[in-house]
């Protein structure tokens, strides 16, 4: 699945693909995502807890800026991190599947 943002021309097709992938029983909410996110908003985008995002900021994985006492994270950085995480997960799962096939543990009939 491709993460946004999408321009107006691509948004309709992206929404249709998302609904097809989720199925008829899925509920979908569309909300605007600001260019600068709080740690809670970044956590929602990533599907993780706010504390995890704070650790990602603290260790430099996600760059941030302070506005007063609060951290703000660029939406583009959050999306890039999510895409990188998805690619890493896909490579790891592909490696496990390849090892399983090699050792005869993978059943191609499923």
């Amino acid at each position: 699945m491709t993460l946004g943002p999408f321009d107006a021309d691509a948004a309709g097709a992206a929404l249709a693909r998302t609904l097809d992938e989720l199925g008829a029983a899925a509920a979908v909410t569309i909300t605007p995502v600001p260019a600068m996110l709080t740690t809670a908003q970044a956590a929602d985008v990533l599907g993780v807890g706010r504390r995890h995002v704070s650790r990602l900021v603290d260790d430099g994985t996600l760059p941030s800026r302070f506005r007063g006492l609060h951290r703000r994270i660029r939406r583009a950085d959050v999306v890039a991190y999510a895409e990188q995480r998805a690619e890493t997960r896909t490579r790891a799962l592909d490696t496990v599947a390849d090892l399983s096939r090699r050792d005869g543990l993978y059943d191609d009939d499923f």
Side-chain angles (χ1 to χ4, degrees), residues 31-86:
T31 60
V33 180
M36 296 299 287
L37 305 176
T38 64
T39 53
Q41 290 169 323
D44 287 344
V45 169
L46 295 172
V48 298
R50 186 192 57 77
R51 190 167 274 180
H52 181 69
V53 172
S54 294
R55 282 193 286 267
L56 293 172
V57 168
D58 290 343
D59 72 14
T61 301
L62 278 176
S64 70
R65 298 184 178 113
F66 275 91
R67 292 230 175 112
L69 298 175
H70 303 284
R71 302 178 233 220
R72 295 294 182 262
I73 307 159
R74 287 179 355 125
R75 177 187 59 223
D77 292 332
V78 173
V79 170
Y81 174 76
E83 288 173 344
Q84 175 207 19
R85 194 174 70 164

Side-chain angles (χ1 to χ4, degrees), residues 90-106 108:
T90 298
R91 279 194 308 273
L93 290 171
D94 287 345
T95 299
V96 169
D98 290 343
L99 291 170
S100 296
R101 273 190 208 93
R102 183 194 71 192
D103 293 340
L105 303 172
Y106 192 82
D108 287 321

